[in-house]
Amino acid sequence: QVQLVESGGGLVQPGGSLRLSCAASGRVFSTNVMGWYRQAPGKQRELVAIISSGGTRTYADSVKGRFTISRGNAKNTVYLEMNSLKPEDTAVYYCNLGNNYPSKTITYWGQGTQVTVSS
């Protein structure tokens, strides 16, 4: 019922910046959480940043102060502004949306976009 499309990944030098975008379509609830996760080869998928429909933001310690998550003016869009990128930020980044039911959350995932930080 929900589709997520990411864009903005690519190759960037250490210390550079990149902006990821995600657009959700379909049955998106007004009460929801959207965010970004990433997975590097051989590692577990980890949370990068999330933002609630109320605007509350949460960041992983590894990206705090460098990354900023925000919602766009268009409905059901989310961005991840990545600054001061490090090689360890290299991963596939996935957009996530959780529709909040009264007693549960149903989660949807995008296809992922590759971010490579290298000189």
PDB file of all heavy atoms in Angstrom, residues 33-38 46-52 56-71 78-82 93-97 109:
ATOM      1  N   VAL A  33       6.165   7.821  11.145  1.00  0.00           N
ATOM      2  CA  VAL A  33       7.579   8.095  11.351  1.00  0.00           C
ATOM      3  C   VAL A  33       8.306   7.780  10.052  1.00  0.00           C
ATOM      4  O   VAL A  33       8.112   6.713   9.473  1.00  0.00           O
ATOM      5  CB  VAL A  33       8.163   7.259  12.507  1.00  0.00           C
ATOM      6  CG1 VAL A  33       9.658   7.512  12.642  1.00  0.00           C
ATOM      7  CG2 VAL A  33       7.449   7.583  13.806  1.00  0.00           C
ATOM      8  N   MET A  34       9.142   8.693   9.598  1.00  0.00           N
ATOM      9  CA  MET A  34       9.970   8.455   8.430  1.00  0.00           C
ATOM     10  C   MET A  34      11.431   8.588   8.820  1.00  0.00           C
ATOM     11  O   MET A  34      11.772   9.351   9.729  1.00  0.00           O
ATOM     12  CB  MET A  34       9.647   9.430   7.297  1.00  0.00           C
ATOM     13  CG  MET A  34       8.237   9.295   6.748  1.00  0.00           C
ATOM     14  SD  MET A  34       7.947  10.297   5.264  1.00  0.00           S
ATOM     15  CE  MET A  34       8.923   9.394   4.047  1.00  0.00           C
ATOM     16  N   GLY A  35      12.275   7.842   8.137  1.00  0.00           N
ATOM     17  CA  GLY A  35      13.678   7.913   8.497  1.00  0.00           C
ATOM     18  C   GLY A  35      14.580   7.242   7.496  1.00  0.00           C
ATOM     19  O   GLY A  35      14.141   6.771   6.440  1.00  0.00           O
ATOM     20  N   TRP A  36      15.849   7.217   7.859  1.00  0.00           N
ATOM     21  CA  TRP A  36      16.888   6.631   7.041  1.00  0.00           C
ATOM     22  C   TRP A  36      17.666   5.604   7.841  1.00  0.00           C
ATOM     23  O   TRP A  36      18.026   5.841   9.001  1.00  0.00           O
ATOM     24  CB  TRP A  36      17.848   7.702   6.523  1.00  0.00           C
ATOM     25  CG  TRP A  36      17.208   8.658   5.574  1.00  0.00           C
ATOM     26  CD1 TRP A  36      16.602   9.845   5.861  1.00  0.00           C
ATOM     27  CD2 TRP A  36      17.112   8.500   4.152  1.00  0.00           C
ATOM     28  NE1 TRP A  36      16.130  10.434   4.715  1.00  0.00           N
ATOM     29  CE2 TRP A  36      16.433   9.633   3.648  1.00  0.00           C
ATOM     30  CE3 TRP A  36      17.535   7.512   3.262  1.00  0.00           C
ATOM     31  CZ2 TRP A  36      16.167   9.802   2.293  1.00  0.00           C
ATOM     32  CZ3 TRP A  36      17.268   7.684   1.912  1.00  0.00           C
ATOM     33  CH2 TRP A  36      16.597   8.817   1.443  1.00  0.00           C
ATOM     34  N   TYR A  37      17.907   4.474   7.218  1.00  0.00           N
ATOM     35  CA  TYR A  37      18.756   3.427   7.746  1.00  0.00           C
ATOM     36  C   TYR A  37      19.865   3.163   6.728  1.00  0.00           C
ATOM     37  O   TYR A  37      19.745   3.531   5.561  1.00  0.00           O
ATOM     38  CB  TYR A  37      17.965   2.146   7.993  1.00  0.00           C
ATOM     39  CG  TYR A  37      16.924   2.262   9.094  1.00  0.00           C
ATOM     40  CD1 TYR A  37      15.770   3.020   8.921  1.00  0.00           C
ATOM     41  CD2 TYR A  37      17.098   1.603  10.315  1.00  0.00           C
ATOM     42  CE1 TYR A  37      14.821   3.127   9.923  1.00  0.00           C
ATOM     43  CE2 TYR A  37      16.151   1.700  11.315  1.00  0.00           C
ATOM     44  CZ  TYR A  37      15.013   2.459  11.115  1.00  0.00           C
ATOM     45  OH  TYR A  37      14.077   2.556  12.116  1.00  0.00           O
ATOM     46  N   ARG A  38      20.933   2.531   7.179  1.00  0.00           N
ATOM     47  CA  ARG A  38      22.006   2.208   6.254  1.00  0.00           C
ATOM     48  C   ARG A  38      22.584   0.842   6.573  1.00  0.00           C
ATOM     49  O   ARG A  38      22.518   0.368   7.707  1.00  0.00           O
ATOM     50  CB  ARG A  38      23.105   3.273   6.276  1.00  0.00           C
ATOM     51  CG  ARG A  38      23.893   3.352   7.581  1.00  0.00           C
ATOM     52  CD  ARG A  38      24.853   4.534   7.549  1.00  0.00           C
ATOM     53  NE  ARG A  38      25.654   4.629   8.756  1.00  0.00           N
ATOM     54  CZ  ARG A  38      26.485   5.626   9.034  1.00  0.00           C
ATOM     55  NH1 ARG A  38      26.621   6.635   8.173  1.00  0.00           N
ATOM     56  NH2 ARG A  38      27.181   5.624  10.165  1.00  0.00           N
ATOM     57  N   GLU A  46      21.484  -0.407  10.260  1.00  0.00           N
ATOM     58  CA  GLU A  46      21.412   0.433  11.438  1.00  0.00           C
ATOM     59  C   GLU A  46      20.625   1.703  11.160  1.00  0.00           C
ATOM     60  O   GLU A  46      20.602   2.213  10.040  1.00  0.00           O
ATOM     61  CB  GLU A  46      22.816   0.801  11.935  1.00  0.00           C
ATOM     62  CG  GLU A  46      23.616   1.652  10.958  1.00  0.00           C
ATOM     63  CD  GLU A  46      24.960   2.083  11.511  1.00  0.00           C
ATOM     64  OE1 GLU A  46      25.232   1.829  12.701  1.00  0.00           O
ATOM     65  OE2 GLU A  46      25.752   2.682  10.751  1.00  0.00           O
ATOM     66  N   LEU A  47      20.011   2.205  12.201  1.00  0.00           N
ATOM     67  CA  LEU A  47      19.278   3.452  12.108  1.00  0.00           C
ATOM     68  C   LEU A  47      20.249   4.614  11.981  1.00  0.00           C
ATOM     69  O   LEU A  47      21.251   4.682  12.698  1.00  0.00           O
ATOM     70  CB  LEU A  47      18.380   3.634  13.334  1.00  0.00           C
ATOM     71  CG  LEU A  47      17.468   4.865  13.361  1.00  0.00           C
ATOM     72  CD1 LEU A  47      16.174   4.536  14.089  1.00  0.00           C
ATOM     73  CD2 LEU A  47      18.148   6.045  14.041  1.00  0.00           C
ATOM     74  N   VAL A  48      19.952   5.527  11.069  1.00  0.00           N
ATOM     75  CA  VAL A  48      20.733   6.741  10.897  1.00  0.00           C
ATOM     76  C   VAL A  48      20.012   7.927  11.527  1.00  0.00           C
ATOM     77  O   VAL A  48      20.570   8.641  12.357  1.00  0.00           O
ATOM     78  CB  VAL A  48      21.020   7.032   9.418  1.00  0.00           C
ATOM     79  CG1 VAL A  48      21.787   8.347   9.261  1.00  0.00           C
ATOM     80  CG2 VAL A  48      21.796   5.883   8.793  1.00  0.00           C
ATOM     81  N   ALA A  49      18.776   8.142  11.126  1.00  0.00           N
ATOM     82  CA  ALA A  49      17.986   9.249  11.646  1.00  0.00           C
ATOM     83  C   ALA A  49      16.521   8.996  11.363  1.00  0.00           C
ATOM     84  O   ALA A  49      16.169   8.402  10.343  1.00  0.00           O
ATOM     85  CB  ALA A  49      18.421  10.580  11.026  1.00  0.00           C
ATOM     86  N   ILE A  50      15.659   9.451  12.251  1.00  0.00           N
ATOM     87  CA  ILE A  50      14.224   9.362  12.057  1.00  0.00           C
ATOM     88  C   ILE A  50      13.573  10.681  12.450  1.00  0.00           C
ATOM     89  O   ILE A  50      14.123  11.447  13.250  1.00  0.00           O
ATOM     90  CB  ILE A  50      13.578   8.208  12.863  1.00  0.00           C
ATOM     91  CG1 ILE A  50      13.883   8.343  14.356  1.00  0.00           C
ATOM     92  CG2 ILE A  50      14.042   6.857  12.329  1.00  0.00           C
ATOM     93  CD1 ILE A  50      13.151   7.335  15.226  1.00  0.00           C
ATOM     94  N   ILE A  51      12.396  10.919  11.882  1.00  0.00           N
ATOM     95  CA  ILE A  51      11.629  12.114  12.212  1.00  0.00           C
ATOM     96  C   ILE A  51      10.159  11.729  12.266  1.00  0.00           C
ATOM     97  O   ILE A  51       9.628  11.081  11.366  1.00  0.00           O
ATOM     98  CB  ILE A  51      11.892  13.254  11.200  1.00  0.00           C
ATOM     99  CG1 ILE A  51      11.118  14.515  11.591  1.00  0.00           C
ATOM    100  CG2 ILE A  51      11.572  12.812   9.776  1.00  0.00           C
ATOM    101  CD1 ILE A  51      11.545  15.748  10.795  1.00  0.00           C
ATOM    102  N   SER A  52       9.495  12.112  13.327  1.00  0.00           N
ATOM    103  CA  SER A  52       8.083  11.812  13.491  1.00  0.00           C
ATOM    104  C   SER A  52       7.238  12.823  12.733  1.00  0.00           C
ATOM    105  O   SER A  52       7.726  13.857  12.273  1.00  0.00           O
ATOM    106  CB  SER A  52       7.710  11.819  14.976  1.00  0.00           C
ATOM    107  OG  SER A  52       7.692  13.141  15.484  1.00  0.00           O
ATOM    108  N   THR A  56       9.703  15.497  15.732  1.00  0.00           N
ATOM    109  CA  THR A  56      10.737  15.060  16.651  1.00  0.00           C
ATOM    110  C   THR A  56      11.806  14.266  15.908  1.00  0.00           C
ATOM    111  O   THR A  56      11.492  13.319  15.198  1.00  0.00           O
ATOM    112  CB  THR A  56      10.151  14.215  17.778  1.00  0.00           C
ATOM    113  OG1 THR A  56       9.164  14.983  18.479  1.00  0.00           O
ATOM    114  CG2 THR A  56      11.235  13.790  18.756  1.00  0.00           C
ATOM    115  N   ARG A  57      13.058  14.632  16.104  1.00  0.00           N
ATOM    116  CA  ARG A  57      14.174  14.011  15.389  1.00  0.00           C
ATOM    117  C   ARG A  57      15.036  13.177  16.326  1.00  0.00           C
ATOM    118  O   ARG A  57      15.267  13.543  17.480  1.00  0.00           O
ATOM    119  CB  ARG A  57      15.045  15.075  14.725  1.00  0.00           C
ATOM    120  CG  ARG A  57      14.340  15.876  13.648  1.00  0.00           C
ATOM    121  CD  ARG A  57      15.207  17.036  13.188  1.00  0.00           C
ATOM    122  NE  ARG A  57      14.662  17.730  12.023  1.00  0.00           N
ATOM    123  CZ  ARG A  57      13.758  18.702  12.079  1.00  0.00           C
ATOM    124  NH1 ARG A  57      13.279  19.099  13.251  1.00  0.00           N
ATOM    125  NH2 ARG A  57      13.327  19.271  10.968  1.00  0.00           N
ATOM    126  N   THR A  58      15.516  12.067  15.807  1.00  0.00           N
ATOM    127  CA  THR A  58      16.436  11.203  16.527  1.00  0.00           C
ATOM    128  C   THR A  58      17.567  10.820  15.592  1.00  0.00           C
ATOM    129  O   THR A  58      17.328  10.455  14.442  1.00  0.00           O
ATOM    130  CB  THR A  58      15.729   9.941  17.047  1.00  0.00           C
ATOM    131  OG1 THR A  58      14.643  10.319  17.902  1.00  0.00           O
ATOM    132  CG2 THR A  58      16.700   9.075  17.838  1.00  0.00           C
ATOM    133  N   TYR A  59      18.810  10.881  16.097  1.00  0.00           N
ATOM    134  CA  TYR A  59      19.985  10.565  15.294  1.00  0.00           C
ATOM    135  C   TYR A  59      20.836   9.502  15.973  1.00  0.00           C
ATOM    136  O   TYR A  59      20.903   9.431  17.199  1.00  0.00           O
ATOM    137  CB  TYR A  59      20.856  11.800  15.086  1.00  0.00           C
ATOM    138  CG  TYR A  59      20.202  12.920  14.324  1.00  0.00           C
ATOM    139  CD1 TYR A  59      19.554  13.957  14.988  1.00  0.00           C
ATOM    140  CD2 TYR A  59      20.244  12.947  12.933  1.00  0.00           C
ATOM    141  CE1 TYR A  59      18.958  14.985  14.287  1.00  0.00           C
ATOM    142  CE2 TYR A  59      19.644  13.981  12.226  1.00  0.00           C
ATOM    143  CZ  TYR A  59      19.005  14.997  12.911  1.00  0.00           C
ATOM    144  OH  TYR A  59      18.412  16.028  12.206  1.00  0.00           O
ATOM    145  N   ALA A  60      21.493   8.708  15.146  1.00  0.00           N
ATOM    146  CA  ALA A  60      22.517   7.831  15.666  1.00  0.00           C
ATOM    147  C   ALA A  60      23.696   8.668  16.150  1.00  0.00           C
ATOM    148  O   ALA A  60      23.997   9.724  15.583  1.00  0.00           O
ATOM    149  CB  ALA A  60      22.983   6.850  14.589  1.00  0.00           C
ATOM    150  N   ASP A  61      24.366   8.200  17.190  1.00  0.00           N
ATOM    151  CA  ASP A  61      25.496   8.948  17.733  1.00  0.00           C
ATOM    152  C   ASP A  61      26.584   9.182  16.683  1.00  0.00           C
ATOM    153  O   ASP A  61      27.253  10.218  16.694  1.00  0.00           O
ATOM    154  CB  ASP A  61      26.090   8.215  18.934  1.00  0.00           C
ATOM    155  CG  ASP A  61      25.198   8.276  20.154  1.00  0.00           C
ATOM    156  OD1 ASP A  61      24.321   9.158  20.225  1.00  0.00           O
ATOM    157  OD2 ASP A  61      25.383   7.433  21.060  1.00  0.00           O
ATOM    158  N   SER A  62      26.754   8.247  15.776  1.00  0.00           N
ATOM    159  CA  SER A  62      27.815   8.336  14.791  1.00  0.00           C
ATOM    160  C   SER A  62      27.610   9.455  13.770  1.00  0.00           C
ATOM    161  O   SER A  62      28.566   9.867  13.110  1.00  0.00           O
ATOM    162  CB  SER A  62      27.975   7.001  14.060  1.00  0.00           C
ATOM    163  OG  SER A  62      26.778   6.646  13.396  1.00  0.00           O
ATOM    164  N   VAL A  63      26.386   9.940  13.627  1.00  0.00           N
ATOM    165  CA  VAL A  63      26.098  10.979  12.636  1.00  0.00           C
ATOM    166  C   VAL A  63      25.622  12.274  13.269  1.00  0.00           C
ATOM    167  O   VAL A  63      25.454  13.278  12.565  1.00  0.00           O
ATOM    168  CB  VAL A  63      25.058  10.504  11.604  1.00  0.00           C
ATOM    169  CG1 VAL A  63      25.489   9.187  10.977  1.00  0.00           C
ATOM    170  CG2 VAL A  63      23.675  10.379  12.229  1.00  0.00           C
ATOM    171  N   LYS A  64      25.422  12.275  14.560  1.00  0.00           N
ATOM    172  CA  LYS A  64      24.913  13.456  15.246  1.00  0.00           C
ATOM    173  C   LYS A  64      25.852  14.641  15.042  1.00  0.00           C
ATOM    174  O   LYS A  64      27.061  14.531  15.216  1.00  0.00           O
ATOM    175  CB  LYS A  64      24.732  13.154  16.734  1.00  0.00           C
ATOM    176  CG  LYS A  64      23.882  14.159  17.489  1.00  0.00           C
ATOM    177  CD  LYS A  64      23.613  13.679  18.916  1.00  0.00           C
ATOM    178  CE  LYS A  64      22.860  12.362  18.919  1.00  0.00           C
ATOM    179  NZ  LYS A  64      22.572  11.889  20.301  1.00  0.00           N
ATOM    180  N   GLY A  65      25.280  15.768  14.653  1.00  0.00           N
ATOM    181  CA  GLY A  65      26.064  16.961  14.384  1.00  0.00           C
ATOM    182  C   GLY A  65      26.530  17.091  12.957  1.00  0.00           C
ATOM    183  O   GLY A  65      26.964  18.174  12.549  1.00  0.00           O
ATOM    184  N   ARG A  66      26.462  16.003  12.186  1.00  0.00           N
ATOM    185  CA  ARG A  66      26.886  16.020  10.792  1.00  0.00           C
ATOM    186  C   ARG A  66      25.709  15.865   9.825  1.00  0.00           C
ATOM    187  O   ARG A  66      25.732  16.435   8.736  1.00  0.00           O
ATOM    188  CB  ARG A  66      27.899  14.913  10.516  1.00  0.00           C
ATOM    189  CG  ARG A  66      29.175  15.027  11.336  1.00  0.00           C
ATOM    190  CD  ARG A  66      30.222  14.010  10.873  1.00  0.00           C
ATOM    191  NE  ARG A  66      29.766  12.626  11.064  1.00  0.00           N
ATOM    192  CZ  ARG A  66      29.600  11.752  10.084  1.00  0.00           C
ATOM    193  NH1 ARG A  66      29.852  12.100   8.824  1.00  0.00           N
ATOM    194  NH2 ARG A  66      29.201  10.509  10.345  1.00  0.00           N
ATOM    195  N   PHE A  67      24.720  15.071  10.222  1.00  0.00           N
ATOM    196  CA  PHE A  67      23.561  14.805   9.373  1.00  0.00           C
ATOM    197  C   PHE A  67      22.342  15.542   9.911  1.00  0.00           C
ATOM    198  O   PHE A  67      22.201  15.734  11.127  1.00  0.00           O
ATOM    199  CB  PHE A  67      23.242  13.309   9.326  1.00  0.00           C
ATOM    200  CG  PHE A  67      24.251  12.463   8.605  1.00  0.00           C
ATOM    201  CD1 PHE A  67      25.484  12.967   8.207  1.00  0.00           C
ATOM    202  CD2 PHE A  67      23.964  11.133   8.328  1.00  0.00           C
ATOM    203  CE1 PHE A  67      26.412  12.177   7.547  1.00  0.00           C
ATOM    204  CE2 PHE A  67      24.878  10.331   7.667  1.00  0.00           C
ATOM    205  CZ  PHE A  67      26.097  10.850   7.279  1.00  0.00           C
ATOM    206  N   THR A  68      21.445  15.919   9.009  1.00  0.00           N
ATOM    207  CA  THR A  68      20.191  16.552   9.382  1.00  0.00           C
ATOM    208  C   THR A  68      19.048  15.920   8.608  1.00  0.00           C
ATOM    209  O   THR A  68      19.099  15.843   7.380  1.00  0.00           O
ATOM    210  CB  THR A  68      20.212  18.065   9.108  1.00  0.00           C
ATOM    211  OG1 THR A  68      21.291  18.677   9.826  1.00  0.00           O
ATOM    212  CG2 THR A  68      18.903  18.705   9.553  1.00  0.00           C
ATOM    213  N   ILE A  69      18.040  15.459   9.322  1.00  0.00           N
ATOM    214  CA  ILE A  69      16.856  14.902   8.686  1.00  0.00           C
ATOM    215  C   ILE A  69      15.746  15.948   8.728  1.00  0.00           C
ATOM    216  O   ILE A  69      15.606  16.689   9.703  1.00  0.00           O
ATOM    217  CB  ILE A  69      16.412  13.592   9.361  1.00  0.00           C
ATOM    218  CG1 ILE A  69      15.309  12.909   8.540  1.00  0.00           C
ATOM    219  CG2 ILE A  69      15.964  13.825  10.798  1.00  0.00           C
ATOM    220  CD1 ILE A  69      14.995  11.488   8.998  1.00  0.00           C
ATOM    221  N   SER A  70      14.964  16.020   7.667  1.00  0.00           N
ATOM    222  CA  SER A  70      13.902  17.006   7.594  1.00  0.00           C
ATOM    223  C   SER A  70      12.781  16.507   6.697  1.00  0.00           C
ATOM    224  O   SER A  70      12.979  15.606   5.872  1.00  0.00           O
ATOM    225  CB  SER A  70      14.428  18.350   7.075  1.00  0.00           C
ATOM    226  OG  SER A  70      14.941  18.221   5.762  1.00  0.00           O
ATOM    227  N   ARG A  71      11.620  17.074   6.875  1.00  0.00           N
ATOM    228  CA  ARG A  71      10.490  16.802   6.000  1.00  0.00           C
ATOM    229  C   ARG A  71      10.343  17.938   5.001  1.00  0.00           C
ATOM    230  O   ARG A  71      10.546  19.103   5.331  1.00  0.00           O
ATOM    231  CB  ARG A  71       9.212  16.631   6.812  1.00  0.00           C
ATOM    232  CG  ARG A  71       9.162  15.345   7.621  1.00  0.00           C
ATOM    233  CD  ARG A  71       7.862  15.232   8.403  1.00  0.00           C
ATOM    234  NE  ARG A  71       7.798  14.003   9.186  1.00  0.00           N
ATOM    235  CZ  ARG A  71       7.207  12.882   8.791  1.00  0.00           C
ATOM    236  NH1 ARG A  71       6.613  12.822   7.609  1.00  0.00           N
ATOM    237  NH2 ARG A  71       7.208  11.819   9.574  1.00  0.00           N
ATOM    238  N   VAL A  78      10.923  13.175   2.700  1.00  0.00           N
ATOM    239  CA  VAL A  78      11.909  13.312   3.756  1.00  0.00           C
ATOM    240  C   VAL A  78      13.282  13.432   3.115  1.00  0.00           C
ATOM    241  O   VAL A  78      13.544  12.829   2.065  1.00  0.00           O
ATOM    242  CB  VAL A  78      11.847  12.128   4.752  1.00  0.00           C
ATOM    243  CG1 VAL A  78      12.256  10.824   4.072  1.00  0.00           C
ATOM    244  CG2 VAL A  78      12.702  12.398   5.977  1.00  0.00           C
ATOM    245  N   TYR A  79      14.161  14.209   3.757  1.00  0.00           N
ATOM    246  CA  TYR A  79      15.499  14.440   3.251  1.00  0.00           C
ATOM    247  C   TYR A  79      16.525  14.106   4.317  1.00  0.00           C
ATOM    248  O   TYR A  79      16.252  14.171   5.516  1.00  0.00           O
ATOM    249  CB  TYR A  79      15.679  15.896   2.822  1.00  0.00           C
ATOM    250  CG  TYR A  79      14.697  16.349   1.777  1.00  0.00           C
ATOM    251  CD1 TYR A  79      13.528  17.019   2.140  1.00  0.00           C
ATOM    252  CD2 TYR A  79      14.934  16.115   0.424  1.00  0.00           C
ATOM    253  CE1 TYR A  79      12.622  17.435   1.180  1.00  0.00           C
ATOM    254  CE2 TYR A  79      14.030  16.529  -0.531  1.00  0.00           C
ATOM    255  CZ  TYR A  79      12.883  17.187  -0.157  1.00  0.00           C
ATOM    256  OH  TYR A  79      11.984  17.601  -1.109  1.00  0.00           O
ATOM    257  N   LEU A  80      17.701  13.766   3.863  1.00  0.00           N
ATOM    258  CA  LEU A  80      18.831  13.569   4.755  1.00  0.00           C
ATOM    259  C   LEU A  80      19.997  14.374   4.210  1.00  0.00           C
ATOM    260  O   LEU A  80      20.566  14.022   3.172  1.00  0.00           O
ATOM    261  CB  LEU A  80      19.207  12.092   4.875  1.00  0.00           C
ATOM    262  CG  LEU A  80      20.313  11.784   5.882  1.00  0.00           C
ATOM    263  CD1 LEU A  80      19.818  12.045   7.308  1.00  0.00           C
ATOM    264  CD2 LEU A  80      20.795  10.345   5.742  1.00  0.00           C
ATOM    265  N   GLU A  81      20.325  15.461   4.895  1.00  0.00           N
ATOM    266  CA  GLU A  81      21.472  16.287   4.538  1.00  0.00           C
ATOM    267  C   GLU A  81      22.687  15.737   5.257  1.00  0.00           C
ATOM    268  O   GLU A  81      22.715  15.703   6.487  1.00  0.00           O
ATOM    269  CB  GLU A  81      21.219  17.741   4.916  1.00  0.00           C
ATOM    270  CG  GLU A  81      22.310  18.706   4.489  1.00  0.00           C
ATOM    271  CD  GLU A  81      22.297  18.991   3.008  1.00  0.00           C
ATOM    272  OE1 GLU A  81      21.203  18.979   2.414  1.00  0.00           O
ATOM    273  OE2 GLU A  81      23.381  19.229   2.431  1.00  0.00           O
ATOM    274  N   MET A  82      23.675  15.311   4.493  1.00  0.00           N
ATOM    275  CA  MET A  82      24.866  14.691   5.048  1.00  0.00           C
ATOM    276  C   MET A  82      26.064  15.602   4.796  1.00  0.00           C
ATOM    277  O   MET A  82      26.399  15.889   3.646  1.00  0.00           O
ATOM    278  CB  MET A  82      25.097  13.314   4.430  1.00  0.00           C
ATOM    279  CG  MET A  82      23.917  12.362   4.603  1.00  0.00           C
ATOM    280  SD  MET A  82      24.251  10.699   3.968  1.00  0.00           S
ATOM    281  CE  MET A  82      24.339  11.060   2.213  1.00  0.00           C
ATOM    282  N   TYR A  93      21.867   3.302   1.681  1.00  0.00           N
ATOM    283  CA  TYR A  93      20.950   4.017   2.550  1.00  0.00           C
ATOM    284  C   TYR A  93      19.518   3.729   2.125  1.00  0.00           C
ATOM    285  O   TYR A  93      19.169   3.852   0.950  1.00  0.00           O
ATOM    286  CB  TYR A  93      21.222   5.526   2.499  1.00  0.00           C
ATOM    287  CG  TYR A  93      22.450   5.928   3.276  1.00  0.00           C
ATOM    288  CD1 TYR A  93      23.716   5.577   2.826  1.00  0.00           C
ATOM    289  CD2 TYR A  93      22.342   6.648   4.463  1.00  0.00           C
ATOM    290  CE1 TYR A  93      24.848   5.922   3.544  1.00  0.00           C
ATOM    291  CE2 TYR A  93      23.471   7.006   5.184  1.00  0.00           C
ATOM    292  CZ  TYR A  93      24.722   6.641   4.724  1.00  0.00           C
ATOM    293  OH  TYR A  93      25.842   6.996   5.448  1.00  0.00           O
ATOM    294  N   TYR A  94      18.690   3.354   3.096  1.00  0.00           N
ATOM    295  CA  TYR A  94      17.311   2.976   2.844  1.00  0.00           C
ATOM    296  C   TYR A  94      16.352   3.940   3.524  1.00  0.00           C
ATOM    297  O   TYR A  94      16.520   4.269   4.697  1.00  0.00           O
ATOM    298  CB  TYR A  94      17.024   1.566   3.371  1.00  0.00           C
ATOM    299  CG  TYR A  94      17.814   0.473   2.702  1.00  0.00           C
ATOM    300  CD1 TYR A  94      19.041   0.066   3.206  1.00  0.00           C
ATOM    301  CD2 TYR A  94      17.319  -0.163   1.567  1.00  0.00           C
ATOM    302  CE1 TYR A  94      19.768  -0.944   2.599  1.00  0.00           C
ATOM    303  CE2 TYR A  94      18.043  -1.176   0.954  1.00  0.00           C
ATOM    304  CZ  TYR A  94      19.262  -1.562   1.475  1.00  0.00           C
ATOM    305  OH  TYR A  94      19.971  -2.569   0.873  1.00  0.00           O
ATOM    306  N   CYS A  95      15.356   4.370   2.791  1.00  0.00           N
ATOM    307  CA  CYS A  95      14.284   5.166   3.365  1.00  0.00           C
ATOM    308  C   CYS A  95      13.264   4.240   4.017  1.00  0.00           C
ATOM    309  O   CYS A  95      12.992   3.146   3.511  1.00  0.00           O
ATOM    310  CB  CYS A  95      13.617   6.004   2.279  1.00  0.00           C
ATOM    311  SG  CYS A  95      12.317   7.111   2.874  1.00  0.00           S
ATOM    312  N   ASN A  96      12.720   4.686   5.126  1.00  0.00           N
ATOM    313  CA  ASN A  96      11.765   3.890   5.878  1.00  0.00           C
ATOM    314  C   ASN A  96      10.574   4.744   6.285  1.00  0.00           C
ATOM    315  O   ASN A  96      10.723   5.917   6.634  1.00  0.00           O
ATOM    316  CB  ASN A  96      12.444   3.307   7.125  1.00  0.00           C
ATOM    317  CG  ASN A  96      11.467   2.641   8.073  1.00  0.00           C
ATOM    318  OD1 ASN A  96      10.916   3.293   8.967  1.00  0.00           O
ATOM    319  ND2 ASN A  96      11.254   1.352   7.886  1.00  0.00           N
ATOM    320  N   LEU A  97       9.401   4.139   6.235  1.00  0.00           N
ATOM    321  CA  LEU A  97       8.192   4.780   6.731  1.00  0.00           C
ATOM    322  C   LEU A  97       7.424   3.812   7.602  1.00  0.00           C
ATOM    323  O   LEU A  97       7.253   2.647   7.232  1.00  0.00           O
ATOM    324  CB  LEU A  97       7.292   5.260   5.590  1.00  0.00           C
ATOM    325  CG  LEU A  97       5.982   5.942   6.006  1.00  0.00           C
ATOM    326  CD1 LEU A  97       5.642   7.078   5.055  1.00  0.00           C
ATOM    327  CD2 LEU A  97       4.826   4.943   6.049  1.00  0.00           C
ATOM    328  N   TRP A 109       9.770  -0.093   3.232  1.00  0.00           N
ATOM    329  CA  TRP A 109      11.154   0.204   2.895  1.00  0.00           C
ATOM    330  C   TRP A 109      11.307   0.601   1.443  1.00  0.00           C
ATOM    331  O   TRP A 109      10.616   0.087   0.565  1.00  0.00           O
ATOM    332  CB  TRP A 109      12.048  -1.006   3.157  1.00  0.00           C
ATOM    333  CG  TRP A 109      12.145  -1.379   4.599  1.00  0.00           C
ATOM    334  CD1 TRP A 109      11.399  -2.297   5.259  1.00  0.00           C
ATOM    335  CD2 TRP A 109      13.054  -0.836   5.552  1.00  0.00           C
ATOM    336  NE1 TRP A 109      11.778  -2.368   6.570  1.00  0.00           N
ATOM    337  CE2 TRP A 109      12.796  -1.481   6.782  1.00  0.00           C
ATOM    338  CE3 TRP A 109      14.065   0.120   5.496  1.00  0.00           C
ATOM    339  CZ2 TRP A 109      13.510  -1.192   7.938  1.00  0.00           C
ATOM    340  CZ3 TRP A 109      14.772   0.414   6.645  1.00  0.00           C
ATOM    341  CH2 TRP A 109      14.490  -0.244   7.853  1.00  0.00           C
TER     342      TRP A 109
END
